[in-house]
Amino acid sequence: MPRIARIETFVVTQRLQKPFSYSQWEYDRRTVCLVRVTADDGTYGWGEGYGPAAVIKSGIEFLAPLVMGGDPLAIGALWQAMHVRATDFARRGVLLASLSAIDIALWDLKGKLLRTPVHVLLGGQRRARVQVYATGLYFDREPNLRERLAREAVGYVGQGFRAVKMKVGLGIEEDAGNVEAVRRAIGPHVRLMVDSNHAYLLHEALALTQRIEPFDISWFEEPVSPDDYAGYAELRRQSKIPIAGGECEYGVHGFHQLFSAAAVDIAQPDICACGGLTEAQRIAALARTHFVEITPHCWGTGIAFAVGLHFLSSVDVQPGRLRAREPFLEMDRTENPLRDLLTTPRFQPVDGCVAVPDLPGLGVDVDAKRLEEFAVLP
Ligand code: CA
């Protein structure tokens, strides 16, 4: 059987034509760290970490010796070897994003070696198409933000999305007005979610919840600090809007803390940060015991998106019923040349869903020319 012969990192970046912001800071470029794990027969797998690319790169270099020479089919054992080394220093945080990137590359590699799509390795396909929602509706420096948000939201509906998520976090009055404008623009039949990226204290989040409840909001994401488990739980008790969170949470133990606090209706692990596909499966099993839905956070290239597709293709949705709830994958629609140009295929929604790749591994590849063009030179 082949052994793991090479682990390479690639930090790629692109400046954006139009900067955009959310409640915490402004984006003027997109930068990610990819990893390629190659077996000694030349077969390779791609992975991606979510978080600060330079730090993720260092973390991958720290963990790589534990994986080098290993059996690429023995992902669980390699995962544990990396996790044991991380535990003393980083039970949570970005080192787990480095671990996630390697884990994902191993799943891609294993699928290619076995000529099997990752969703089959994860337990088999339950759905050939995954429901997606458009993430966009960020802030910018232009006047007439509210009009632009309404126009942008209508654009997503025109592209076939049946659900859109917008940013809040500018203050209760402004947020409430923006939410109302977007709801009016898209009409009553498109799902609408809001995300404050932990901008608020509990009393502010409660006030916003009360203001936007009439606009049929499917969830309020990261309403308060990810450390405020009690605040999450109290908001959830008082709000008619379901509460979502977890993109800043790591590992099954982090989600155990979130679920034990009864903090969320919907858990949003980022598979490229929480511990990879290996840990995401455990988090999904844990979520099931708490009757919490899983809706992965997804913010990266086509690799990260394909990871989400394979995961949700195979994930179990509870409770069972004739017209089952379909899980949702986040589909970032903000300007991102890394997502649109670096990886193939370029995913597009049809009737609010995206087809799950049926090729061996993740079914995504990286364009070698673009990889060179977008590379951050040391
Ligand atoms: Ca978010």
Side-chain angles (χ1 to χ4, degrees):
M1 210 47 208
R3 313 300 291 188
I4 293 165
R6 198 161 61 225
I7 299 174
E8 301 156 281
T9 55
F10 303 87
V11 175
V12 285
T13 191
Q14 280 290 284
R15 182 170 286 283
L16 302 178
Q17 288 176 353
K18 203 164 169 254
F20 61 88
S21 59
Y22 68 116
S23 69
Q24 303 300 324
W25 68 68
E26 185 177 78
Y27 276 93
D28 62 0
R29 57 171 56 245
R30 296 290 291 264
T31 306
V32 300
C33 180
L34 306 183
V35 62
R36 182 167 62 194
V37 176
T38 307
D40 55 11
D41 71 346
T43 311
Y44 59 83
W46 284 102
E48 173 173 356
Y50 166 63
V55 189
I56 290 173
K57 175 182 162 66
S58 295
I60 291 170
E61 287 160 2
F62 172 73
L63 297 169
L66 302 162
V67 175
M68 280 293 288
D71 173 359
L73 302 187
I75 297 177
L78 297 172
W79 191 96
Q80 192 166 7
M82 294 191 285
H83 191 249
V84 164
R85 192 62 61 91
T87 299
D88 281 346
F89 320 109
R91 287 161 48 240
R92 314 279 193 268
V94 70
L95 191 56
L96 289 186
S98 305
L99 187 158
S100 302
I102 295 174
D103 175 83
I104 288 163
L106 290 171
W107 280 96
D108 188 29
L109 174 58
K110 180 172 181 171
K112 286 173 180 165
L113 289 169
L114 298 177
R115 296 187 176 80
T116 306
V118 166
H119 59 77
V120 175
L121 301 179
L122 292 173
Q125 192 175 81
R126 293 169 192 268
R127 49 195 72 81
R129 290 154 25 101
V130 168
Q131 191 176 221
V132 294
Y133 67 87
T135 280
L137 306 169
Y138 280 67
F139 314 134
D140 62 23
R141 298 178 195 174
E142 309 287 320
N144 302 322
L145 171 67
R146 191 162 296 172
E147 280 168 40
R148 199 218 79 215
L149 290 174
R151 221 172 31 245
E152 186 184 334
V154 169
Y156 294 136
V157 177
Q159 291 164 25
F161 286 98
R162 290 170 183 172
V164 297
K165 189 170 80 187
M166 65 182 293
K167 291 299 174 188
V168 292
L170 293 175
I172 309 307
E173 284 305 314
E174 189 161 356
D175 288 346
N178 290 345
V179 171
E180 181 173 9
V182 169
R183 172 50 84 199
R184 276 186 204 284
I186 61 178
H189 303 302
V190 176
R191 291 180 65 177
L192 177 62
M193 293 78 86
V194 303
D195 182 2
S196 94
N197 297 90
H198 48 82
Y200 289 126
L201 292 166
L202 172 60
H203 69 86
E204 296 172 303
L206 267 170
L208 179 58
T209 301
Q210 285 157 5
R211 292 288 303 272
I212 63 176
E213 272 172 1
F215 305 123
D216 190 15
I217 304 302
S218 290
W219 72 69
F220 185 177
E221 177 170 327
E222 290 206 290
V224 296
S225 165
D227 287 317
D228 187 6
Y229 296 101
Y232 260 97
E234 183 58 29
L235 180 65
R236 187 175 169 220
R237 269 191 294 275
Q238 294 198 38
S239 167
K240 293 194 184 78
I241 300 172
I243 302 300
E247 69 184 74
C248 301
E249 211 63 72
Y250 294 85
V252 75
H253 299 294
F255 282 87
H256 175 70
Q257 197 174 354
L258 192 70
F259 299 154
S260 299
V264 293
D265 298 283
I266 298 152
Q268 299 173 301
D270 189 303
I271 303 171
C272 298
C274 74
L277 281 163
T278 302
E279 191 77 337
Q281 285 199 298
R282 298 180 188 131
I283 292 165
L286 185 68
R288 197 178 161 182
T289 69
H290 289 268
F291 303 94
V292 168
E293 275 186 89
I294 289 266
T295 302
H297 175 261
C298 188
W299 183 256
T301 74
I303 298 170
F305 189 72
V307 167
L309 288 175
H310 284 278
F311 176 74
L312 287 186
S313 173
S314 65
V315 86
D316 178 30
V317 175
Q318 294 291 325
R321 61 189 185 219
L322 186 58
R323 294 184 183 176
R325 280 181 82 84
E326 280 297 302
F328 252 134
L329 182 60
E330 175 164 30
M331 192 167 192
D332 164 29
R333 296 288 80 197
T334 63
E335 182 193 347
N336 185 358
L338 301 180
R339 176 197 64 221
D340 292 343
L341 303 175
L342 183 63
T343 49
T344 53
R346 190 167 169 178
F347 295 102
Q348 293 292 350
V350 177
D351 299 330
C353 295
V354 174
V356 182
D358 222 11
L359 297 166
L362 292 171
V364 179
D365 214 342
V366 175
D367 184 307
K369 263 179 69 182
R370 296 289 192 185
L371 187 64
E372 206 172 312
E373 183 189 338
F374 294 168
V376 175
L377 298 174

